[in-house]
């Protein structure tokens, strides 16, 4: 048994995700969801994966988007939309869906991390090293106010 002391030494790192548009079809849909709120692009005649990505990104940054989407900076380069948390250390859960022959892939390229994350080993000192508490350890949470 050891003593694990909370240090809060972890760095705030901004979560980053990518949405790669891989196929389009007239009437096909590409959707992004955060907290049950949905932003959907419907493909039109003449769309390519690049034009569909640009149009979907435009919807993600529109002034009328739900607050959850406005907490993320959305950019597009060719067929890839990138979303970066505006406040490092603030996580978000994005899911994607597709239908009608339009397809995309969602990848988390940088995981969220923060100085408030109990699952981040950098926030703990256990026996002199940054390590998560183990079963049976005594945990000390002092001066966390």
């Amino acid at each position: 048994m050891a003593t694990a002391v909370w240090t809060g030494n972890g760095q705030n790192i901004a979560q980053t995700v990518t949405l790669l548009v891989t196929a389009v079809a007239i009437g096909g849909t590409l959707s992004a969801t955060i907290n049950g709120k949905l932003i959907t692009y419907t493909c039109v005649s003449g769309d390519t994966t690049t034009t569909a990505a640009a149009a979907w990104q435009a919807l993600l940054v529109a002034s009328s988007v739900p607050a959850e989407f406005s907490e993320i900076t959305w950019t597009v380069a060719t067929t890839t939309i990138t979303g970066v948390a505006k406040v490092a250390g603030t996580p978000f859960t994005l899911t994607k869906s597709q239908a009608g022959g339009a397809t995309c892939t969602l990848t988390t390229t940088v995981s969220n991390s923060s100085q408030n994350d109990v699952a981040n080993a950098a926030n703990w000192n256990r026996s002199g090293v940054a390590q998560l508490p183990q079963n049976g350890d005594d945990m000390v949470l002092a001066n966390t106010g």
Side-chain angles (χ1 to χ4, degrees):
M1 309 301 159
T3 298
V5 179
W6 176 262
T7 63
N9 288 336
Q11 292 182 316
N12 288 337
I13 298 173
Q15 179 178 345
T16 303
V17 298
T18 59
L19 289 161
L20 172 65
V21 178
T22 53
V24 295
I26 297 171
T29 58
L30 301 165
S31 299
T33 305
I34 300 176
N35 292 338
K37 298 178 179 128
L38 187 71
I39 302 292
T40 299
Y41 174 69
T42 302
C43 299
V44 297
S45 176
D47 259 343
T48 65
T49 53
T50 299
T51 60
W56 193 14
Q57 184 266 348
L59 293 175
L60 292 167
V61 299
S63 61
S64 60
V65 297
E68 290 86 345
F69 287 91
S70 64
E71 294 172 355
I72 301 165
T73 299
W74 299 99
T75 59
V76 64
T78 62
T79 60
T80 302
I81 301 168
T82 301
V84 180
K86 289 181 179 176
V87 177
T90 303
F92 59 90
T93 302
L94 176 74
T95 59
K96 61 93 178 175
S97 58
Q98 59 215 357
T103 61
C104 63
T105 58
L106 170 63
T107 305
T108 298
T109 57
V110 178
S111 295
N112 180 74
S113 184
S114 84
Q115 61 190 15
N116 300 314
D117 186 350
V118 296
N120 182 348
N123 288 324
W124 294 95
N125 182 327
R126 183 177 185 266
S127 301
V129 296
Q131 185 180 32
L132 292 174
Q134 305 296 310
N135 285 339
D137 282 355
D138 292 322
M139 296 189 313
V140 178
L141 302 173
N143 303 316
T144 60

